[in-house]
Amino acid sequence: MFKYEYLKVATASFEVKLGKPLENARKIIELLEKHTNASIVLFPELSLTGSTLGDWNFNASVLKEQNIALEYLKENSTDQIMIVGGTYLYLDSLYNVAYVIQNGYILGIVPKVYLNFDETRNFKSGEEFVNEPVNVEFLDDEVLFGNVNFVNSLHNISFGIEIGNDLGHLSDAQIIFNLNSSAAYLGKKEDYRTLVKGISLQKHCCYVLTSINASESASNILFDGQMLAYQNGEELLNVSSLSFNDNVSIFDIDIEYLKFIRMHNCFNQITDPYVEFDLYESEDYVLSNIIDCNPFVFKNEGEAEEAIDIIVTSLYHRLKHIGINKVVIGVSGGLDSTLALLIAHKCFTKYNIPTSNILAYSMPALATGSKSQQLALDLMNGLQVKGTVLPIGNEIKSHFELINHDESVKNTTYENVQARYRTFVLMNVSNSEKAIVIGTGDMSEIALGWSTFNGDQMSMYNVNAGLPKTAIRSLVGHFAKIYPDLQFVLTDVINATITPELTSSSQATEDIIGKYEINDFILNQIFARGSSYERLMYLLETQFQLDEEVASKYYHNFMRRFKQNQFKRLASPEGVKIFKLSLSPHGAFKFPGDLK
């Protein structure tokens, strides 16, 4: 199956019959017929003959039967690509190879290059064919023999083949398939997992590996049937069991993401020689992988602690650099300011700065609710920072009179005057106290422009700039474990309706800009994974159960707000990067300010 730039792939292992290629070929076809939804199926190294056949590889009957087995595979092949391991006799030398078969043809024969000591007894290295593949006549096909890549030009998709120890040495294709027969040993699973993950990161590819299972042999070694797939460091498949049974694992490769990440890193594209393969789009595509609908939510305590360490260290570095040991924070009782206060407290306690140097200000205005006000007080008191309440309602009304704004008109001016006045107070306090103002705006708000220019958009250092709203909520939840005395207060903060409280205390942000969970998902898909509109519609409809109209509205609202508000991002304060994606104009993200 192929659709929305997702390619469905399978790895397969089965009970290999040593020295019986035709029986193994029949088993291969049996497995393919049961899993027709996979566009490409990878089988283990030497899956036609067996990996431990030794000198019997040279037997004429075995070689003849393998050709019969390959004819059988050709005759029973479809548009589904099979990659099977076997041997190939060329100019009186025997090679350990992978056969790529589709639609009645052998598309290519790829030899193993890096042989271990035992293998050199039976096989010749294909090193001479790495840069210069040759055309050979084999089973009525003219086939390229050597280190060739396989390309579908229509969809700009490429895959390469490596066998065993060739791991990471031969191919630069988007997808690299490794036919493997490595022996089990203590620690091997983790060794290979680390190796395959590293190759996928280094080459910005999807690296797929499958090995022979325990049915092969137990004479001196045992095989563990390990199956791995990593996509630019992301785990798609990690299976290993000492099993004698058939095992087929199906997963989705995100071709659109691979193209996106390779373009970003100017990775070399496939050049000659290559072989074309066929690929047909499916009517309906059903994902096999579980899609992470909350990509910015921390998956474990280790991730959360790492993020906190990065932010705390960056804040201390900034304070140390400018020679200041005081910070000013506006605390509203909401998620963002709560996290900023917690980060400051963690920083000051870690680096032995008195927490009384954290100057926290609660500034109730015209629409501040009593609940959020109480949460702000509880936080400041619980953390034992210097907390001050500065009611600014009268000053705001005075400003309305100054600019001749009717107080009863609760428009953008009405809201922004309050947001800007709070920043005005914090900036002036920071001058008076020789402190810096810590920003609280998160990456979701930065993306959507949900801030007041020169109001809550501005600060002297923004500790939340690298964290989308879903990550903010996740970290506040983690802090509830760090500060058990504040658990109930922090739980109330997490569960409270997100609101700017600029027109009323019941004003709900998500009623205006949509759910943060969905907006954060869109943010990640577009700017971290390069998703197209068609892909996003498919994901929003299938993963969030949105109908087409609602999904389209989410996308267009997000993009409209994102484009319109680049001018705010261009004038934003510095803040440290946490995830691979950052929207800081001071860093790697470049975006025009006048894109329509």
Side-chain angles (χ1 to χ4, degrees), residues 381-560:
N381 293 332
L383 291 171
Q384 297 181 341
V385 301
K386 187 176 180 181
T388 304
V389 178
L390 290 178
I392 58 173
N394 291 334
E395 285 75 9
I396 288 169
K397 290 180 180 181
S398 175
H399 193 76
F400 285 157
E401 292 179 12
L402 180 65
I403 65 172
N404 195 29
H405 176 75
D406 184 349
E407 184 184 331
S408 66
V409 179
K410 296 184 178 182
N411 58 7
T412 302
T413 302
Y414 181 91
E415 295 185 87
N416 285 352
V417 164
Q418 297 175 75
R420 286 198 181 100
Y421 198 86
R422 286 186 172 117
T423 302
F424 171 77
V425 171
L426 295 175
M427 289 289 181
N428 290 338
V429 168
S430 73
N431 290 152
S432 175
E433 295 285 349
K434 293 184 173 60
I436 64 169
V437 177
I438 297 301
T440 62
D442 63 65
M443 196 198 293
S444 302
E445 295 176 344
I446 291 169
L448 295 163
W450 190 250
S451 61
T452 298
F453 193 86
N454 209 32
D456 52 321
Q457 170 249 1
M458 187 50 60
S459 65
M460 295 168 181
Y461 193 74
N462 186 358
V463 295
N464 289 347
L467 297 167
K469 185 72 78 176
T470 49
I472 297 276
R473 182 183 282 115
S474 180
L475 274 191
V476 172
H478 182 72
F479 267 109
K481 300 174 184 176
I482 300 175
Y483 297 105
D485 292 344
L486 287 175
Q487 185 173 6
F488 291 112
V489 177
L490 296 180
T491 299
D492 283 345
V493 171
I494 291 169
N495 293 332
T497 300
I498 299 172
T499 171
E501 294 191 323
L502 294 174
T503 58
S504 71
S505 59
S506 61
Q507 183 183 13
T509 297
E510 290 182 304
D511 288 346
I512 302 169
I513 62 174
K515 293 186 179 298
Y516 277 111
E517 181 186 22
I518 297 176
N519 282 321
D520 284 359
F521 181 80
I522 294 172
L523 172 67
N524 183 68
Q525 283 292 321
I526 293 176
F527 294 108
R529 304 190 70 87
S531 285
S532 62
Y533 172 76
E534 183 185 32
R535 158 76 68 84
L536 255 174
M537 289 305 97
Y538 170 68
L539 292 175
L540 291 175
E541 291 172 27
T542 57
Q543 304 303 304
F544 290 92
Q545 287 73 54
L546 303 181
D547 62 40
E548 184 178 355
E549 182 180 355
V550 174
S552 182
K553 184 178 178 181
Y554 257 104
Y555 173 85
H556 289 296
N557 283 347
F558 180 94
M559 290 307 304
R560 175 181 58 81

Side-chain angles (χ1 to χ4, degrees), residues 262-364:
R262 287 160 77 92
M263 283 190 290
H264 264 256
N265 290 276
C266 299
F267 203 80
N268 292 332
Q269 297 300 305
I270 295 300
T271 57
D272 292 337
Y274 65 85
V275 176
E276 284 280 346
F277 69 90
D278 295 327
L279 188 62
Y280 305 98
E281 289 202 66
S282 313
E283 289 296 322
D284 297 307
Y285 194 98
V286 180
L287 286 165
S288 298
N289 297 357
I290 297 174
I291 297 295
D292 186 356
C293 292
N294 290 288
F296 300 114
V297 172
F298 299 101
K299 303 303 183 280
N300 52 61
E301 292 187 4
E303 286 187 358
E305 282 294 328
E306 185 178 2
I308 292 169
D309 283 345
I310 292 172
I311 306 170
V312 164
T313 304
S314 67
L315 175 57
Y316 177 69
H317 186 280
R318 177 51 52 93
L319 293 172
K320 184 180 178 183
H321 174 70
I322 59 180
I324 282 178
N325 65 353
K326 280 186 180 181
V327 296
V328 173
I329 303 176
V331 182
S332 67
L335 277 167
D336 293 345
S337 64
T338 294
L339 182 64
L341 183 60
L342 291 164
I343 288 291
H345 187 273
K346 185 79 172 174
C347 176
F348 279 41
T349 54
K350 179 178 180 179
Y351 292 103
N352 299 314
I353 305 172
T355 56
S356 57
N357 282 12
I358 300 172
L359 312 180
Y361 287 84
S362 171
M363 291 172 281

Side-chain angles (χ1 to χ4, degrees), residues 25-231:
R26 290 187 178 119
K27 186 64 178 183
I28 287 169
I29 293 301
E30 178 188 323
L31 291 175
L32 292 174
E33 289 175 346
K34 289 180 180 178
H35 302 281
T36 56
N37 59 339
S39 293
I40 305 174
V41 183
L42 174 68
F43 291 89
E45 181 177 2
L46 296 168
S47 44
L48 282 175
T49 58
S51 181
T52 57
L53 202 57
D55 290 351
W56 197 241
N57 278 297
F58 303 133
N59 181 267
S61 296
V62 173
L63 292 171
K64 182 178 180 180
E65 186 179 323
Q66 184 184 233
N67 287 350
I68 295 171
L70 286 164
E71 284 281 15
Y72 177 81
L73 292 177
K74 284 176 56 179
E75 291 169 2
N76 288 277
S77 64
T78 63
D79 58 9
Q80 184 181 47
I81 296 171
M82 66 179 94
I83 304 171
V84 300
T87 64
Y88 176 62
L89 183 62
Y90 179 71
L91 299 180
D92 295 331
S93 292
L94 196 62
Y95 294 84
N96 178 346
V97 303
Y99 292 95
V100 180
I101 303 171
Q102 183 187 38
N103 287 328
Y105 293 95
I106 296 176
L107 302 184
I109 305 173
V110 181
K112 185 174 184 177
V113 173
Y114 294 94
L115 306 176
N116 62 38
F117 177 76
D118 289 337
E119 288 178 300
T120 58
R121 176 185 176 91
N122 300 120
F123 302 117
K124 185 177 180 180
S125 168
E127 184 176 8
E128 63 184 293
F129 305 109
V130 168
N131 297 316
E132 296 183 7
V134 294
N135 277 299
V136 297
E137 290 287 339
F138 183 64
L139 301 182
D140 300 324
D141 289 339
E142 186 174 303
V143 186
L144 264 181
F145 171 55
N147 182 36
V148 297
N149 288 291
F150 301 84
V151 173
N152 180 274
S153 298
L154 178 63
H155 298 290
N156 187 25
I157 298 174
S158 63
F159 71 83
I161 306 290
E162 295 182 344
I163 305 173
N165 295 334
D166 295 343
L167 270 162
H169 293 295
L170 300 179
S171 180
D172 286 326
Q174 294 164 342
I175 309 167
I176 305 174
F177 293 102
N178 186 290
L179 302 81
N180 206 273
S181 62
S182 55
Y185 58 83
L186 194 63
K188 181 254 184 179
K189 296 176 185 178
E190 186 61 23
D191 286 349
Y192 265 63
R193 191 193 69 80
T194 302
L195 182 59
V196 170
K197 180 178 180 179
I199 296 169
S200 76
L201 276 167
Q202 179 188 11
K203 298 203 167 190
H204 306 297
C205 70
C206 182
Y207 203 96
V208 184
L209 177 148
T210 190
S211 182
I212 289 174
N213 68 17
S215 64
E216 162 79 14
S217 174
S219 295
N220 296 296
I221 57 174
L222 189 69
F223 300 103
D224 58 6
Q226 187 168 25
M227 297 178 177
L228 296 168
Y230 280 86
Q231 176 179 267

